[in-house]
Amino acid sequence: RIYAHSFFNSKDLPFLSMVIITLALCQIAFEKNKPVWFLLLGLACGYATSIRIMGIMIAGFVLFFLLIDLINNAKKKEKINAQLLGMVLFSIGFCFLLYISWPYLWKGPVKTFAESFGRMSHYDWMGGVLLQGQTLLSDKPLPWTYFPIWFFISNPPLWLLLGFGGVVMAVIAMVKNPLQFLQNTKERNLLLYLMCFAVPIFAVIVLKSVIYDDWRHLYFVYPAFVFLGIYGISKFIDGKYKLFIQIACGIQVALVAFFMVSNHPFSQVYINSFVSHEEEFIRKNYDMEYWGCSHKQALDYLTTTYPTGPIKVCVIYRTPLDNNIMMLPKDQRERIVFEKEATKADFFITNFRLHPDDFPSTNIEYEIQVLNSTIMRIYNMHPKQVGIPRQ
């Protein structure tokens, strides 16, 4: 799912990548405790926040840790210059790169940032999502279970088991020795991962923030979840379970790889085995190919099958069609003519967004299936005129 999104998701995946970079710099900065690393960390946090405003969360965690180190040093009557300098350089780096990489802030940094944060918390989105067979419209808040359900069904089962196992073990270790997690130690990285995973989810649920299209707005919590899973593996990998864990992980990687290769380029619709893969079950219960990327394959099919003349096409949502037309060869683009009414078109293309059921027509010209559910279908509106048999 994340691999596929890296081809077309211009915000969620860059932010996820910056979160990984920021977490790495955070570990290095506190380990080396040198001013230049805190400056770099601030720059990374600032740029991450310019992509998605939730990046300020990590900045808050860093300042929290620096404050704890400052208090601990003060109690021990040690010098606090390094912590103070680190806080200053981190803040300068954060504000500098946030400002220059987010032009919207230029007309009033504090005011516009506050406005953006407020809109993020209660984004006015007009649309709908499909969850467990129910279409949920944006005029009402999504149920708090929306993210947990999607997270549970759209990640490989073993990674879920290892990740939540790591979460439990990290929490137990923190309860047993909380001071170890509040001092500048390697264990504190686990606390950072726990916070980066749990706090955004908790905030979205409490604030009732708008999220849609599976859980892509929270993809950035996944790296922390993976790191916690690795922590869980590390507790067993050197013991008698080593071979079992290696075999299990190898099988899971192989299964995921097989799915990705066999369903390329549509691995973004991955749903694990916790959901039935019976004929059309996923399509009628969960959002699948909501980006409309498959319109490219639809257009390729039509322009190849009908090599001459205009091709009149009708779609429910025009944006995916327009975006994919731009990827056609120049001589083919003008052949695609958009019609608002299906009866005036030669073909009707659907990715079943907000319409998971079949359409009345039985003239199915072409379709693509993943996990036994149709993600894109072309209906031939005038089969006698076009004269192409069903594929």
Side-chain angles (χ1 to χ4, degrees):
R1 195 169 277 265
I2 288 175
Y3 171 78
H5 273 248
S6 67
F7 285 91
F8 48 75
N9 189 330
S10 60
K11 292 196 73 173
D12 301 305
L13 265 293
F15 184 53
L16 178 148
S17 302
M18 282 307 303
V19 168
I20 295 174
I21 293 171
T22 302
L23 291 176
L25 287 173
C26 188
Q27 180 172 336
I28 295 171
F30 281 99
E31 183 179 342
K32 295 185 178 296
N33 203 23
K34 293 184 178 180
V36 65
W37 285 106
F38 286 105
L39 177 62
L40 291 173
L41 178 57
L43 292 170
C45 278
Y47 185 62
T49 307
S50 75
I51 300 174
R52 281 219 180 274
I53 203 168
M54 281 300 292
I56 196 172
M57 167 196 68
I58 302 179
F61 296 158
V62 171
L63 291 174
F64 172 69
F65 289 152
L66 282 168
L67 180 61
I68 288 178
D69 291 344
L70 189 149
I71 294 173
N72 286 336
N73 282 14
K75 287 182 177 180
K76 297 176 184 178
K77 297 183 179 180
E78 297 178 359
K79 294 182 178 180
I80 59 174
N81 295 346
Q83 285 71 36
L84 287 173
L85 183 59
M87 294 176 77
V88 170
L89 290 176
F90 173 82
S91 300
I92 291 174
F94 175 83
C95 294
F96 172 74
L97 203 54
L98 173 64
Y99 183 75
I100 67 170
S101 58
W102 193 352
Y104 180 65
L105 299 181
W106 296 355
K107 61 180 181 180
V110 177
K111 181 181 178 181
T112 51
F113 185 86
E115 290 175 353
S116 298
F117 191 85
R119 282 199 296 270
M120 181 276 296
S121 302
H122 300 91
Y123 184 65
D124 188 18
W125 177 68
M126 299 301 294
V129 295
L130 183 66
L131 182 72
Q132 294 181 318
Q134 292 186 326
T135 299
L136 307 174
L137 300 178
S138 59
D139 58 346
K140 295 181 181 179
L142 290 175
W144 71 268
T145 55
Y146 182 78
F147 168 79
I149 290 173
W150 266 111
F151 191 81
F152 186 70
I153 69 172
S154 63
N155 285 302
L158 184 59
W159 302 163
L160 290 171
L161 178 63
L162 293 174
F164 284 116
V167 169
V168 171
M169 285 186 280
V171 170
I172 291 174
M174 187 170 60
V175 171
K176 287 183 177 180
N177 192 358
L179 292 179
Q180 193 74 7
F181 284 77
L182 292 177
Q183 297 173 350
N184 192 358
T185 61
K186 291 182 178 179
E187 285 76 13
R188 193 163 70 180
N189 292 316
L190 295 177
L191 176 59
L192 177 61
Y193 303 152
L194 283 170
M195 294 166 71
C196 286
F197 176 66
V199 171
I201 298 171
F202 182 76
V204 164
I205 292 175
V206 171
L207 296 175
K208 297 182 179 180
S209 299
V210 174
I211 57 174
Y212 50 89
D213 298 343
D214 65 67
W215 54 288
R216 68 181 179 87
H217 299 91
L218 287 173
Y219 278 2
F220 66 91
V221 306
Y222 191 65
F225 183 76
V226 170
F227 296 150
L228 289 165
I230 294 172
Y231 169 73
I233 291 176
S234 70
K235 292 296 182 181
F236 295 100
I237 199 68
D238 293 328
K240 59 182 180 180
Y241 301 105
K242 179 178 181 178
L243 182 60
F244 172 78
I245 291 175
Q246 289 177 331
I247 292 174
C249 288
I251 293 174
Q252 183 66 90
V253 168
L255 291 173
V256 172
F258 176 78
F259 172 85
M260 292 173 67
V261 172
S262 59
N263 294 287
H264 180 78
F266 303 113
S267 60
Q268 73 269 21
V269 300
Y270 172 83
I271 297 287
N272 62 33
S273 55
F274 296 145
V275 172
S276 171
H277 292 176
E278 292 181 3
E279 191 75 15
E280 304 296 356
F281 181 86
I282 300 176
R283 189 243 293 182
K284 294 183 178 181
N285 285 274
Y286 299 95
D287 289 316
M288 293 190 75
E289 213 281 282
Y290 54 82
W291 286 94
C293 299
S294 56
H295 282 51
K296 174 62 166 60
Q297 282 67 27
L299 294 174
D300 284 342
Y301 169 83
L302 291 175
T303 54
T304 301
T305 306
Y306 305 96
T308 60
I311 300 174
K312 297 179 181 180
V313 172
C314 179
V315 293
I316 296 178
Y317 299 102
R318 187 170 176 178
T319 301
L321 178 68
D322 291 338
N323 289 341
N324 284 285
I325 286 175
M326 290 189 290
M327 290 189 281
L328 291 175
K330 187 175 181 180
D331 61 330
Q332 298 290 346
R333 295 173 197 164
E334 294 182 357
R335 297 184 58 215
I336 307 299
V337 179
F338 173 72
E339 293 286 352
K340 291 183 179 180
E341 298 180 22
T343 54
K344 295 180 179 180
D346 298 322
F347 303 97
F348 178 77
I349 304 174
T350 179
N351 61 339
F352 299 97
R353 170 107 182 174
L354 290 183
H355 192 297
D357 296 322
D358 293 324
F359 287 83
S361 175
T362 58
N363 302 317
I364 299 174
E365 172 87 10
Y366 178 73
E367 63 183 21
I368 297 174
Q369 286 197 341
V370 177
L371 298 174
N372 296 318
S373 286
T374 307
I375 64 171
M376 186 279 295
R377 179 177 290 166
I378 302 175
Y379 290 93
N380 189 326
M381 302 305 297
H382 306 290
K384 291 183 180 180
Q385 296 179 24
V386 179
I388 295 295
R390 176 176 172 176
Q391 301 295 312

